[in-house]
């Protein structure tokens, strides 16, 4: 039996009929496949502020201008049946910097980048990774990172996060 990322609070197994995706190299993607933004789950307010500062640092231009990069915190409602990644990304600007009444409480905290180039993704992951954030249920887990890709947009957020968690666990449990 395998447990999904959000089974700890949903109490449900993986959705029936969901197909696992295949890995896509981020360098091969067009960054415009999805709206610009960051989706987060499993972090407290202080950690979210640190994430926002990292993202701002990566997106600050040489002239000091800052591109607006919305950061949305995922809620438990985002993992209900039928809610797709595309649906959540479409609400990114409205949800920017807002804490939902019932934030998602994953076992492994999640940072999903959308609309970033390969260079921006790499710089953002390095910057946030250097913070040494630990969260999750139970606390103390390093976050998993992912990028929105075209073949993921129509997947339910729940199925997508189960995939991301599986990939993260497979990568982190490999012998060095």
């Amino acid at each position: 039996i395998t447990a999904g990322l959000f089974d700890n609070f949903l109490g449900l197994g993986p959705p029936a009929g969901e197909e696992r995706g295949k890995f896509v190299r981020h360098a091969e993607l067009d960054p415009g496949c999805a709206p610009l933004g960051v989706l987060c789950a499993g972090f407290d307010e202080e950690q979210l502020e640190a994430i926002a500062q990292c993202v701002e640092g990566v997106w600050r231009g040489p002239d000091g201008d800052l591109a607006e990069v919305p950061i949305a915190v995922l809620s438990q409602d985002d993992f209900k049946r039928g809610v797709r990644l595309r649906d959540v990304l479409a609400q990114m600007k409205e949800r920017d910097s807002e804490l939902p009444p019932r934030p998602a409480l994953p076992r492994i905290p999640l940072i999903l980048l959308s609309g970033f180039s390969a260079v921006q993704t790499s710089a953002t992951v390095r910057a946030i990774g250097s913070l040494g954030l630990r969260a999750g249920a139970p606390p103390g887990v390093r976050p998993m990172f992912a990028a929105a890709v075209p073949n993921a947009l129509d997947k339910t957020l729940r199925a997508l996060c189960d995939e991301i968690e599986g990939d993260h666990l497979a990568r982190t449990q490999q012998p060095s």
Side-chain angles (χ1 to χ4, degrees):
I1 296 177
T2 60
L5 174 66
F6 292 95
D7 291 349
N8 60 332
F9 69 84
L10 292 175
L12 304 170
E18 288 285 348
E19 185 179 315
R20 287 191 58 86
K22 65 179 185 180
F23 180 78
V24 177
R25 292 196 180 282
H26 191 264
E28 299 168 1
L29 297 174
D30 175 11
C33 78
L36 180 63
V38 180
L39 295 177
C40 297
F43 298 100
D44 63 30
E45 288 184 55
E46 194 172 294
Q47 292 170 321
L48 290 166
E49 184 61 35
I51 291 167
Q53 289 176 357
C54 277
V55 171
E56 286 176 8
V58 171
W59 283 83
R60 189 168 304 281
D63 56 359
D65 288 343
L66 180 64
E68 186 176 328
V69 181
I71 299 176
V73 177
L74 295 172
S75 75
Q76 292 179 23
D77 291 340
D78 293 325
F79 295 91
K80 289 183 175 175
R81 182 176 300 279
V83 179
R84 303 170 303 160
L85 175 59
R86 177 182 308 280
D87 303 329
V88 176
L89 291 175
Q91 302 169 354
M92 190 72 96
K93 287 188 181 194
E94 295 83 24
R95 294 173 61 168
D96 184 23
S97 303
E98 296 289 327
L99 284 176
R102 297 178 336 137
L105 303 170
R107 289 183 304 219
I108 302 173
L110 170 69
I111 298 172
L112 190 143
L113 307 175
S114 175
F116 286 39
S117 72
V119 171
Q120 292 161 331
T121 297
S122 179
T124 303
V125 169
R126 272 197 313 272
I128 294 172
S130 72
L131 295 173
L133 298 176
R134 299 277 193 273
V141 180
R142 291 183 58 84
M144 55 186 178
F145 292 87
V149 296
N151 66 344
L153 295 175
D154 288 319
K155 291 183 180 187
T156 65
L157 201 55
R158 185 162 160 232
L160 180 61
C161 286
D162 283 345
E163 277 185 40
I164 295 167
E165 179 189 57
D167 292 344
H168 174 79
L169 291 174
R171 190 176 59 253
T172 58
Q173 294 175 356
Q174 290 179 351
S176 302

